[in-house]
Structures are given as C-alpha cells and as structure tokens.
Amino acid sequence: MTETIKQTVAAANVKRVGIVGAGQLGRMLALAGYPLGLQFVFLDQSADAPGAQVGKILVGEFGNPEKLAQLAAQVDLLTYDVENVPVEALGDIPRHKAFLPPVTALATGQDRLLEKTLFRTLRIPTAKFRAVHGMPDLEQAIQEIGYPAVLKTRRLGYDGRGQRVIYSSAELGSACNALGGVEMILEEFIGFEREVSVIGVRNRRGDTAFYPIVENVHSDGILRYSIAPCADGKLQKPAENYARRMMRHFDYAGVLTIEFFVKQGRLIANETAPRVHNSGHWTIEGAVTSQFENHLRAILGLPLGDTSARGCAAMVNFIGSMPPMESVLEISGAHYHDYGKQPRPGRKLGHATLVCDTRRELMSRLKIFPGIALR
Ligand code: AMP
C-alpha cells in the first residue's frame, strides 16, 4: 500500500477526535468538524467551557495523567486547543495514539527560551534575548540587551500576562519581583511598525499551504483586531519560508502560527503557536477553507483545502463585553460569533468578522464597527 493510501485509510477510520481544552478554539474546531462526520470529546477543568455547547466534556485538569488517558481511550486521535498542557502528563499516550501537532512542537511553544533558540537555529530573525534566572542574571543581561527591554516569564505567559517593559535600572528589581521569581527571558524591545502573523498548515503527507499574512493590532498585550490580507504583500514569501522551515523541523501536522514584528520592512519572529490561532478566525468566512477545517484535515491525513482569501476581511475581538448582536449584523458582510462565556474584564467573549470585496470598502465599513478603535 502506498503511503498516500495508508494515510487516507487512517483518516477514514477516524471518527472521534479528542481535544485537550474546550475553549472557543475547541468549539470552533468541532463546528468545522461536524460536516466531515467527526465527533468530539473535550478535556477541560470547567464543565461549562464553550466546547460543552458542541461536544461531550470530560471534566479534569490538563495535567492529570488519568484524565488524559481516559480521553485518549474514548477517541481515535488527539489534538489540543491550549498550549499549557504539561507534556509530562501525556506519558506514553502519543506513542500509541496520534497526538497532533507533535509533542515536540507543543513543548517548544510553551517555553519562550526554547522557542527563541529554535528561531535562531532555523535562521528565523528574532529579537536579541538572554535567559534570566534571578536578579544577578538580569543585571548582566540588561548590560548586553540595553534599555528598553522586555522581561517575560519563560512559561505560561499569554495575552500580555507575565511580562514587564523595563526602561531604566530603577525598574529592574520591581520587574523581577513582579514576575514571581520564576525562570525568565529578557528580550530587546522592538520599536515595530506593525505586527503580522502567518498561519501555515501541513498534513500528515507533508503537503503545506499558507493563508495570506494578517496584520494584527494589540493593546495591553491582547489582540484587538486583525486585517487580512496584510497590505504589505512583500512579507508573504519570507513569512511562508519561516513557517515551512519550522513545520519541516517538527515533522508537523496541523495548523502552525508565527507572530512577527515588522521593523524597517523586515520580519522579526516573536512567538509561535502550534495550534489554530485568534489571528486566523477571519478564515471562517473570509477564506475558501477555514483554519479549523484545515487543522482537522491536516491531522487526519486528508488533502488540504484552498487557503485563498475571499476578498478582504477584518476580525474584531469582543473583550470583556459583547456588543448587541443587531448592531453587528446590520452591517453588510458582518458575521457574529458568541462563545457563550461569562463576561469578565479582559476576557475574550466573542468576535465578529467583516468580509468585503475590496480593502477600501473594508476600511470604510470597519469605522462603524462596534468595539473598534482604528489605529
Ligand atoms: P507576547 O506575549 O510575546 O505575544 O507579547 C504580547 C504583545 O506584547 C506583543 O504582541 C507585542 O505587542 C508586545 N511585545 C512583546 N514582546 C515585545 C518586544 N520584544 N518588543 C516590543 N513589544 C513586544
């Protein structure tokens, strides 16, 4: 049997997908998977996480080896919608059940030091950085990096949490204390012109595809909105090359995201995520095949879907509160997504996507969009 036939047979047998994490990403994966005939079981510490609306939830911590084993026993294949799955807790599950994207990519994405070191190894430009274990190290590292610099926890930082910008020596001690004495990394502060991300996908046969790169606007470390495709088309090829290199390195299957700063027209990699990503939500309505469907196709060993954009799209996150649905849906080309989460300050509760034929039309309609303050 050729490799392609083997992969297709494997895919045909997969009906039940286990997802570690039942957040909005897991919910959107399941919504994309039902037309393919898939069923979903999630593992999450919360019985009313967004995934509960579309699948069965096994309640437990991501770090509980027994719960992970229970999940594995109920499904044909495993994936995840969160990055903080402790890899030790997986034990030998990935040896007897497909767990994709690969554990090595998950482990690297969890640790900013491993991630930045890999960027270097793969010749992907990144900010200068130094590992920091405590105050004496920080004093040494700041001599080499200079001010301003960004001190980050190596692990468990997301949406701007676990980081401090340091402008002067007076702030060194307070920044170090604020991060709680854990392992850290000091990075050069990049005075970027913009932030962009590339979303690539690779299936179990090694086929790859890339979405048009997206411009992302953050504030307080949280993604506020994305515009796709990014106006600067020259960045597409280098971004694809970097993502391809990374996927090849991991013998990857699934969606992979790399976030970049753009400075003087050049890409500087900041972070990678071995999963579907917030900056790819626009693909549900704005691309021929969504990142969620393509992630499932990739991990099942199926042919990848077309990643082309249908015109121009913007995705706006709703953070802390949801606007009335009517105020979004009355805008032509707009789509509303409510994750069904309890409102809390700083929490991503939903998003909307606006799809237009041209960028000009998109930018003009976006001005009247609820919850957006265009830069
Ligand atoms: P991160 O948690 O690394 O994704 O950082 C969240 C946001 O903080 C980024 O999207 C940037 O807007 C900002 N940021 C992080 N690292 C740096 C840096 N080295 N230089 C400038 N801004 C940064």
Side-chain angles (χ1 to χ4, degrees):
M1 221 171 15
T2 66
E3 191 56 25
T4 309
I5 295 170
K6 264 195 294 185
Q7 297 284 14
T8 309
V9 171
N13 291 333
V14 172
K15 282 282 174 241
R16 295 161 305 164
V17 178
I19 306 184
V20 184
Q24 60 266 19
L25 301 178
R27 180 178 179 268
M28 288 185 267
L29 276 170
L31 290 172
Y34 283 118
L36 300 173
L38 302 172
Q39 293 152 17
F40 294 87
V41 184
F42 300 92
L43 172 65
D44 202 285
Q45 58 259 50
S46 159
D48 61 357
Q53 302 154 28
V54 292
K56 187 173 125 191
I57 295 205
L58 190 62
V59 179
E61 300 290 325
F62 305 140
N64 182 333
E66 278 155 36
K67 290 288 177 186
L68 287 163
Q70 273 178 35
L71 177 70
Q74 293 182 30
V75 298
D76 303 304
L77 171 143
L78 289 155
T79 189
Y80 44 92
D81 91 333
V82 282
E83 271 163 86
N84 56 345
V85 183
V87 290
E88 327 74 68
L90 291 167
D92 66 354
I93 293 172
R95 273 195 285 281
H96 57 79
K97 187 135 297 176
F99 178 93
L100 295 167
V103 181
T104 45
L106 176 64
T108 305
Q110 288 174 349
D111 183 332
R112 293 183 193 275
L113 183 62
L114 293 184
E115 191 174 54
K116 290 228 152 49
T117 307
L118 182 64
F119 286 147
R120 281 259 173 89
T121 309
L122 297 178
R123 292 176 292 105
I124 300 173
T126 193
K128 282 194 264 173
F129 64 93
R130 294 286 178 277
V132 170
H133 311 285
M135 200 51 196
D137 265 353
L138 179 57
E139 280 164 348
Q140 173 68 35
I142 201 85
Q143 301 295 322
E144 294 161 21
I145 305 273
Y147 294 102
V150 191
L151 185 67
K152 301 181 179 178
T153 55
R154 269 177 66 172
R155 306 173 71 88
L156 297 176
Y158 66 97
D159 283 349
R161 288 175 228 195
Q163 57 179 281
R164 286 282 182 289
V165 181
I166 304 177
Y167 295 94
S168 73
S169 59
E171 295 169 359
L172 288 177
S174 59
C176 196
N177 290 337
L179 298 193
V182 292
E183 295 289 296
M184 293 169 282
I185 179 171
L186 186 73
E187 290 176 15
E188 165 191 14
F189 180 90
I190 305 290
F192 55 80
E193 287 124 33
R194 60 172 63 127
E195 295 185 82
V196 302
S197 56
V198 66
I199 295 183
V201 57
R202 184 177 192 266
N203 68 10
R204 288 165 77 168
R205 307 172 194 180
D207 304 327
T208 54
F210 301 89
Y211 289 94
I213 61 166
V214 179
E215 176 161 0
N216 300 317
V217 177
H218 295 82
S219 77
D220 300 327
I222 304 183
L223 180 64
R224 302 290 153 164
Y225 66 92
S226 299
I227 310 272
C230 162
D232 194 347
K234 291 191 305 301
L235 300 172
Q236 183 72 28
K237 276 285 154 230
E240 286 186 13
N241 286 339
Y242 299 149
R244 189 179 290 107
R245 249 177 245 175
M246 198 153 231
M247 294 195 290
R248 201 178 290 148
H249 170 82
F250 288 120
D251 191 16
Y252 200 83
V255 159
L256 176 107
T257 308
I258 309 181
E259 294 182 80
F260 299 95
F261 303 127
V262 181
K263 189 175 175 191
Q264 292 167 346
R266 293 191 56 241
L267 294 172
I268 301 172
N270 177 40
E271 261 203 320
T272 173
R275 54 165 172 76
V276 286
H277 194 258
N278 194 174
S279 67
H281 291 0
W282 68 274
T283 61
I284 296 176
E285 295 93 2
V288 177
T289 316
S290 78
Q291 63 163 346
F292 301 99
E293 179 175 340
N294 257 338
H295 180 78
L296 294 168
R297 290 187 187 212
I299 62 177
L300 265 62
L302 292 166
L304 298 176
D306 186 347
T307 48
S308 313
R310 302 174 189 270
C312 287
M315 186 286 310
V316 181
N317 271 336
F318 298 134
I319 297 164
S321 64
M322 292 293 292
M325 185 151 45
E326 295 74 10
S327 67
V328 172
L329 295 184
E330 70 189 5
I331 301 169
S332 169
H335 303 267
Y336 189 82
H337 295 253
D338 183 342
Y339 310 145
K341 288 159 81 173
Q342 287 302 320
R344 213 191 289 149
R347 196 172 199 208
K348 289 176 184 166
L349 303 177
H351 75 267
T353 307
L354 180 62
V355 185
C356 298
D357 290 338
T358 63
R359 190 175 169 94
R360 201 164 161 189
E361 199 185 331
L362 179 80
M363 298 318 281
S364 105
R365 273 194 230 162
L366 208 49
K367 287 192 191 120
I368 53 167
F369 220 79
I372 195 160
L374 285 181
R375 233 185 8 188

